[in-house]
Structure formats: structure tokens, C-alpha cells
Amino acid sequence: MRLGNKFKLFEKGISSFIDLLLALLIIVVLIVMGEAIFTIITHVIPLASMEELSILIEEVATLFILLEIILMLLRYVKEGHHIPVRYLILISITAILRELLLAQGEGVETLFLALSILVLVFVLFILERIKAFHKSDSEL
């Protein structure tokens, strides 16, 4: 029994350490978001060329990805150290959309990016249907 108590104490210590590291990670991401906001402000005011507009769009898209990451980390701590797959898929969709907005290349690349978003949305749809199926079974 004494070994079990030591293990629980060790587990609690590791969990607290992970929470501390996550808090530091959130602070770092907030600093990067602050830098992105500063870049947005400095490029919005003059906006003299199309290159600056491209930088503005890239920074705004990056800001949304960083926001999603912070929300995912907060959810991870709130849910008891569990990340729902749905959040990872949503962050992936956001990252692909960012790439799609910034892609100024070939049509094939754009098509593949759009297809990857379609596949991820389909996966989200399937996950929601499975979750609804399990809820209806447990209600019976």
C-alpha cells in the first residue's frame, strides 16, 4: 500500500510539472501573438504595397493558429490532460486554410489543399456521427 501512495505522489508531481511547462508554453505563445499583433499594426497603417498586404494576411492567419493552440492547451489542462481529436483536426484545417490563402503557386497545389480540407471536414463529420451514435445508445 505504501508503494501505491508513493506512485500517486509521483504521478501528482509529474502532473504538476507538466501543468507548469504548459503554463510556460502558453506564455511563450502569448508573446509570439503579441509580436504578430505588433507586426499587423505596423503593416496595416502604411499598407503601401501588395507585398505588405500579403504579410498582413500571413500574420493574421498565424495569429488564428496561435489562438487555436492556446485554446487547445487550456482545454488540455481543463479536460484532465486529454486533447480531443476534434481540436487537433480544427487546428489542422486552420493551418491548411492559412497555406491555401498564402499559396500563390500552381493550381494542383491549391486543389490538393482544398481536398485535404474536405477530407478533414469529412473526418469531423464522421466523428460527430459516431459520438451521436454512442450518446443515443447510452440513453436507452
Side-chain angles (χ1 to χ4, degrees):
M1 190 64 168
R2 195 163 185 222
L3 185 61
N5 289 338
K6 286 183 181 181
F7 180 74
K8 286 186 181 190
L9 183 64
F10 176 75
E11 185 179 29
K12 186 176 179 181
I14 293 294
S15 179
S16 298
F17 181 71
I18 289 173
D19 288 343
L20 178 68
L21 289 177
L22 287 174
L24 290 173
L25 183 60
I26 288 173
I27 290 170
V28 168
V29 171
L30 286 173
I31 290 170
V32 172
M33 284 179 72
E35 179 188 9
I37 290 172
F38 178 75
T39 304
I40 288 170
I41 290 171
T42 58
H43 284 90
V44 166
I45 295 172
L47 206 58
S49 68
M50 287 302 289
E51 183 179 315
E52 288 180 350
L53 180 62
S54 177
I55 292 171
L56 174 67
I57 292 171
E58 183 177 338
E59 290 297 325
V60 169
T62 301
L63 194 62
F64 279 116
I65 291 172
L66 290 172
L67 182 64
E68 286 287 330
I69 289 171
I70 286 177
L71 293 175
M72 182 186 66
L73 290 173
L74 291 173
R75 187 68 173 217
Y76 175 76
V77 172
K78 185 179 178 183
E79 297 274 330
H81 299 252
H82 172 72
I83 299 176
V85 174
R86 193 183 94 198
Y87 286 110
L88 297 173
I89 293 172
L90 291 174
I91 289 173
S92 299
I93 289 172
T94 305
I96 294 169
L97 281 172
R98 175 186 181 272
E99 189 64 32
L100 189 61
L101 285 172
L102 301 175
Q104 301 185 11
E106 303 172 11
V108 175
E109 181 183 353
T110 303
L111 179 65
F112 284 139
L113 290 172
L115 286 174
S116 63
I117 291 172
L118 183 63
V119 167
L120 288 172
V121 168
F122 182 70
V123 168
L124 275 178
F125 176 74
I126 295 297
L127 287 174
E128 290 299 318
R129 296 289 271 175
I130 290 172
K131 188 166 77 171
F133 177 74
H134 286 302
K135 282 184 181 177
S136 65
D137 281 349
S138 63
E139 290 174 358
L140 293 176

